[in-house]
Amino acid sequence: VLESRQEATCRQIAAKNVDRFAGVPWFATESDAVLLSDAVAQLDCEISTTVSAGDHDVVILEVKAAATDIDASPLLFHDSRFRTFAVGHDS
């Protein structure tokens, strides 16, 4: 999970035909999962189940380890644009 200020990083790692991780700090876990060093949350997972769904596969992951930065705001992509979470206020 990327931090709200990491829109450029998100676009970079989603790009095709480029070195997606150039300049992006990352590390590999003992299980060879690639995690971004400055992410809001990191989930070390392994494949639990794969289900065919037409021309796609749905992959169910089992989380083996997790880490979070509770002081950071996560990045959200919704309705074709980047957004941030807002804290609601009760009336």
Side-chain angles (χ1 to χ4, degrees):
V1 178
L2 295 177
E3 205 264 334
S4 61
R5 296 173 289 170
Q6 292 179 302
E7 180 179 332
T9 300
C10 184
R11 289 185 187 282
Q12 178 180 331
I13 63 175
K16 295 180 182 177
N17 303 319
V18 298
D19 180 359
R20 295 192 251 180
F21 292 96
V24 177
W26 63 274
F27 63 97
T29 66
E30 290 181 19
S31 62
D32 291 329
V34 174
L35 302 177
L36 302 184
S37 300
D38 54 357
V40 170
Q42 299 163 334
L43 303 172
D44 188 357
C45 304
E46 70 180 34
I47 296 173
S48 172
T49 307
T50 303
V51 179
S52 292
D55 62 348
H56 291 77
D57 288 336
V58 176
V59 179
I60 310 298
L61 301 173
E62 180 179 349
V63 177
K64 296 296 188 175
T68 61
D69 178 354
I70 60 171
D71 295 323
S73 176
L75 181 64
L76 174 66
F77 188 78
H78 172 62
D79 199 20
S80 299
R81 59 188 179 149
F82 289 97
R83 302 167 187 260
T84 56
F85 286 96
V87 177
H89 299 281
D90 292 329
S91 301

